[in-house]
Amino acid sequence: LSELGEYDGTALMEFKTKKNIIYRINNDTACTYEIDDTPPFPINREALEYALQISMLSKLNIVGEVHITRKQYLDGSIPTGFQRTAILGVEGEIQLTHKKVRLIQLSIEEDACREISDIGHWRTYKTDRLGMPLIETVTYPDFVNPDEVKEGADYIRFLNRSTGKVETGKGSTRADTNVSCRGGSRVEIKGVPSTRWMPELTHVEAFRQYALLNIKSLLETKIPDKKSWKISSEEIDLNELKFSYKAIKEAKEQGHKCVAVNLSSFEGILSHYTQPNQMFADEIINRLKVIACLEKPNLIHSEQFDQVVPEKKFEKIKSKLGSVEGDAQIIIWGPEEDMPTALETIEERCIMAMEGVPEETRKSIKDGTTIFERVLPGADRMYPDTDSAPIPLTDEYIKSISETLPVDICDRYEQLAAWGIPEDAHEYILKKNLVPLIEKSEGELGISPKWTGVFLAHRLSNVEHKSRFSKDFNYSMVFALLRYLKDNNLDLELAKKMLWELYRHPKMDFDSVLTTLNVKKIPEEDIESSIPFLREKYIEIATSGDPGAVTRWMMGELGKTAAGNIRLADLKIKCCN
């Protein structure tokens, strides 16, 4: 029950799970906040300023006062039982390629603990990221297809990173993708770690909702009075039936209870396709894992494609349940104390199937599918934090922040196109916030923006992909490398070879990198002076009448010494002449 006197569906679900929570706290960094034994700390002013900067870039209307609120989190991920959050801006917009997308709000909030295991009634968290500041941008439901979802998420990601004030890398983005289809409901796919996953997740979830709506239509023809529909169940004597299925045999050895359940008029529903490699029965299986804490495998049913229980034994179970034609059957097992919750969960999910698509939060899987995580939280989980004073935002303070804003992302797209940088390079440059590096290379070194952009997006991204991550490498080293080549009158193409060594060994100086590559400084005129000699030499050993053969042979002979000392395109022209 919240402080406003309202029940939240998520809170009620967590109450049913009867979870025990273990917190792993690092002794070197622990403080009283991690054990909920301190008044709230003031909001970090630096983080607040960064979040306000991003709010302005999102064209949001900034609030006059920041009011801290509490959002209930009863899964144990925050020891206090609630997350502190504050709205900073409302009603903004972002400009995509073909449309504008409206923004509802931007909030700053504290991060929760990191879940590292969830088995049975025991859930374990690490507190290493607890309290870190997060930014959450919320859009209106303006995206109409999966590709727009990714485009919008990427735009927000690029906008945040253009400030240079947000964390990047694995785990820095945990997006919540909300999906609904016509006739369906809002389903939140929680913690999507990559925008690349979003199109498939969105597509599969829309398909799942259409499948559930089809199930609803089928059940309407089978069950005219859904209000009186109930499951029936009977305990199974494992000694009498002697199942050979490994999971049930293990349950028997552990002293667990086994129960058979009859689902009246549900024939054909349990095997109804919902997602790739999943059927409606999986909707029940995953809820049993979360709510009743029954570890998988926890269920078999009468419509499995791989029948693990012989038909004769299933006939005995049907007879015991009093099943009639058109019914479906489920067998579940687990600790006796969890059986009442399990039966309640099965009945609840079947009744939901008669109503359509339940609003819920689901966990994303890399293959594009999702699994049930919890009931979708409602507005009743939010209430004011009376321990935290409001923070006024003066006009002068807002104006000072607005003067430090970077270029808008939609303008950056136009800038990259004007430079002639190919479209396939835009995403890498924007997600790494490398436009300032391109501008600096042009302004201070006179290097073409197109050359630098292609070098970064094609060469550097390839090096990162094929090499082990180097924590000592940073993008400012690329500018230092280009400056070194310019100062020493070396060909820029040499940067492509040097980058491999620099990325693997960031602490190596540039002279040493050249030594490793066997590159020596040779005057351009010395290289050119060898051309007449090589042409005569080729005439003596020529084995081909191809006119281009002499040029290719000469380029091969001069290639190693020419690298870094003269542009190979210029050298080729001289060899041809």
Side-chain angles (χ1 to χ4, degrees):
L1 193 66
S2 76
E3 291 187 10
L4 296 180
E6 301 289 344
Y7 282 108
D8 178 69
T10 308
L12 289 172
M13 190 209 81
E14 291 295 344
F15 172 75
K16 288 181 183 179
T17 66
K18 303 181 182 69
K19 288 283 186 181
N20 300 298
I21 310 298
I22 297 172
Y23 295 103
R24 290 178 56 180
I25 302 174
N26 189 321
N27 289 331
D28 295 332
T29 58
C31 72
T32 50
Y33 180 70
E34 291 175 301
I35 56 173
D36 188 21
D37 193 29
T38 187
F41 300 139
I43 193 169
N44 182 284
R45 285 304 183 120
E46 192 177 7
L48 177 61
E49 182 176 321
Y50 298 161
L52 286 168
Q53 193 177 45
I54 291 171
S55 298
M56 293 177 200
L57 281 171
S58 305
K59 298 179 177 58
L60 291 155
N61 299 306
I62 306 302
V63 299
E65 275 190 338
V66 179
H67 290 268
I68 313 296
T69 58
R70 295 178 178 181
K71 185 192 297 183
Q72 274 190 347
Y73 263 86
L74 299 183
D75 60 354
S77 60
I78 299 183
T80 58
F82 55 82
Q83 178 191 54
R84 287 186 172 90
T85 180
I87 295 173
L88 301 184
V90 296
E91 299 300 329
E93 65 181 27
I94 54 175
Q95 178 65 57
L96 303 189
T97 306
H98 301 296
K99 67 191 293 186
K100 286 184 179 180
V101 170
R102 298 168 298 153
L103 303 180
I104 297 175
Q105 65 187 44
L106 183 143
S107 304
I108 186 170
E109 56 191 31
E110 58 181 342
D111 205 348
C113 296
R114 183 157 51 102
E115 182 184 304
I116 55 175
S117 72
D118 185 2
I119 301 172
H121 290 281
W122 293 89
R123 188 179 287 152
T124 304
Y125 292 101
K126 289 182 74 172
T127 62
D128 53 358
R129 70 185 192 195
L130 180 65
M132 291 175 65
L134 299 176
I135 294 169
E136 182 179 68
T137 303
V138 184
T139 73
Y140 277 96
D142 290 348
F143 305 109
V144 297
N145 61 57
D147 289 332
E148 279 192 4
V149 174
K150 181 181 185 300
E151 184 184 0
D154 276 334
Y155 193 101
I156 293 170
R157 178 171 61 142
F158 300 157
L159 184 148
N160 291 348
R161 292 183 177 184
S162 70
T163 65
K165 304 292 173 54
V166 299
E167 188 64 63
T168 61
K170 189 176 181 180
S172 61
T173 297
R174 297 191 297 280
D176 301 337
T177 306
N178 294 274
V179 184
S180 62
C181 70
R182 187 177 291 109
S185 304
R186 180 170 75 90
V187 169
E188 177 187 49
I189 304 176
K190 192 76 174 173
V192 181
S194 171
T195 60
R196 291 193 300 272
W197 293 21
M198 290 182 180
E200 188 169 13
L201 284 167
T202 306
H203 170 80
V204 172
E205 174 55 29
F207 185 96
R208 174 182 162 273
Q209 292 197 24
Y210 282 121
L212 293 178
L213 291 171
N214 189 48
I215 288 173
K216 176 190 174 184
S217 298
L218 293 171
L219 289 173
E220 283 174 347
T221 63
K222 293 168 174 278
I223 306 171
D225 183 15
K226 64 182 181 183
K227 290 184 179 179
S228 62
W229 187 91
K230 291 184 179 298
I231 64 170
S232 59
S233 62
E234 291 286 341
E235 185 175 352
I236 293 176
D237 186 344
L238 295 176
N239 292 315
E240 179 185 337
L241 288 176
K242 297 180 180 178
F243 286 105
S244 59
Y245 184 45
K246 183 180 178 182
I248 297 181
K249 289 174 69 177
E250 290 175 352
K252 177 184 175 183
E253 291 169 2
Q254 295 170 23
H256 288 174
K257 188 175 181 179
C258 188
V259 177
V261 182
N262 188 67
L263 307 180
S264 176
S265 303
F266 256 70
E267 185 180 30
I269 301 300
L270 292 177
S271 58
H272 194 292
Y273 184 84
T274 54
Q275 299 184 78
N277 300 314
Q278 290 192 36
M279 58 181 80
F280 181 74
D282 292 296
E283 297 274 325
I284 298 173
I285 289 169
N286 290 323
R287 284 198 171 226
L288 289 174
K289 164 73 171 75
V290 174
I291 301 174
C293 300
L294 300 185
E295 288 301 315
K296 300 179 191 178
N298 53 34
L299 173 155
I300 55 176
H301 58 90
S302 55
E303 298 176 12
Q304 284 185 239
F305 298 138
D306 54 332
Q307 286 292 351
V308 296
V309 176
E311 186 63 31
K312 287 184 179 179
K313 289 188 178 179
F314 240 115
E315 289 302 322
K316 288 184 179 180
I317 293 169
K318 290 179 182 179
S319 176
K320 190 170 185 178
L321 288 168
S323 302
V324 298
E325 188 176 348
D327 293 350
Q329 295 76 38
I330 284 174
I331 299 173
I332 60 171
W333 55 90
E336 185 172 357
E337 60 270 22
D338 293 329
M339 286 298 105
T341 303
L343 293 172
E344 182 182 330
T345 300
I346 293 171
E347 183 171 270
E348 183 180 53
R349 185 61 188 90
C350 290
I351 291 173
M352 287 178 180
M354 302 176 200
E355 297 168 351
V357 182
E359 292 190 345
E360 59 192 30
T361 297
R362 299 180 67 82
K363 182 179 180 180
S364 60
I365 309 297
K366 193 174 183 179
D367 64 3
T369 61
T370 58
I371 57 174
F372 175 79
E373 188 169 86
R374 63 171 181 253
V375 176
L376 190 68
D380 297 328
R381 70 198 290 227
M382 298 278 290
Y383 52 93
D385 181 17
T386 53
D387 293 334
S388 300
I391 303 170
L393 301 176
T394 64
D395 291 342
E396 293 77 13
Y397 177 58
I398 296 301
K399 184 179 179 181
S400 68
I401 295 175
S402 67
E403 292 171 351
T404 64
L405 298 181
V407 177
D408 203 333
I409 292 300
C410 60
D411 295 330
R412 286 298 196 200
Y413 275 116
E414 292 182 4
Q415 186 178 15
L416 293 173
W419 281 337
I421 297 174
E423 283 190 18
D424 65 352
H426 293 184
E427 179 175 347
Y428 179 83
I429 291 170
L430 292 173
K431 79 177 181 180
K432 300 292 186 180
N433 193 29
L434 295 174
V435 174
L437 192 154
I438 297 173
E439 291 175 326
K440 189 177 180 181
S441 298
E442 181 188 29
E444 297 185 23
L445 306 178
I447 300 175
S448 159
K450 181 178 180 179
W451 187 94
T452 309
V454 172
F455 173 72
L456 293 169
H458 293 172
R459 182 67 59 165
L460 178 56
S461 65
N462 186 42
V463 171
E464 288 178 330
H465 178 69
K466 293 183 177 178
S467 302
R468 182 177 295 179
F469 171 72
S470 175
K471 64 180 180 180
D472 295 319
F473 180 85
N474 62 72
Y475 297 111
S476 63
M477 292 180 178
V478 176
F479 178 80
L481 172 61
L482 299 179
R483 179 181 287 281
Y484 172 84
L485 294 174
K486 278 286 187 177
D487 290 346
N488 289 275
N489 198 29
L490 294 168
D491 183 22
L492 286 177
E493 291 299 311
L494 193 57
K496 296 177 180 179
K497 292 185 177 181
M498 294 180 71
L499 190 61
W500 286 98
E501 292 300 323
L502 181 62
Y503 190 83
R504 293 189 183 100
H505 310 288
K507 296 181 180 179
M508 186 182 293
D509 62 77
F510 297 133
D511 288 333
S512 299
V513 172
L514 288 179
T515 301
T516 302
L517 295 172
N518 294 319
V519 174
K520 298 177 181 179
K521 180 62 180 170
I522 300 174
E524 193 172 320
E525 54 271 20
D526 289 355
I527 298 172
E528 293 176 4
S529 65
S530 302
I531 293 176
F533 168 77
L534 289 173
R535 185 175 286 113
E536 292 177 6
K537 184 71 173 175
Y538 181 79
I539 293 171
E540 295 176 10
I541 63 172
T543 58
S544 171
D546 181 5
V550 61
T551 301
R552 291 194 295 271
W553 182 80
M554 290 168 63
M555 289 292 291
E557 292 294 309
L558 294 171
K560 292 183 179 179
T561 55
N565 294 303
I566 183 173
R567 289 181 70 245
L568 295 181
D570 294 341
L571 180 62
K572 186 175 182 180
I573 293 172
K574 294 180 186 297
C575 288
C576 290
N577 295 333

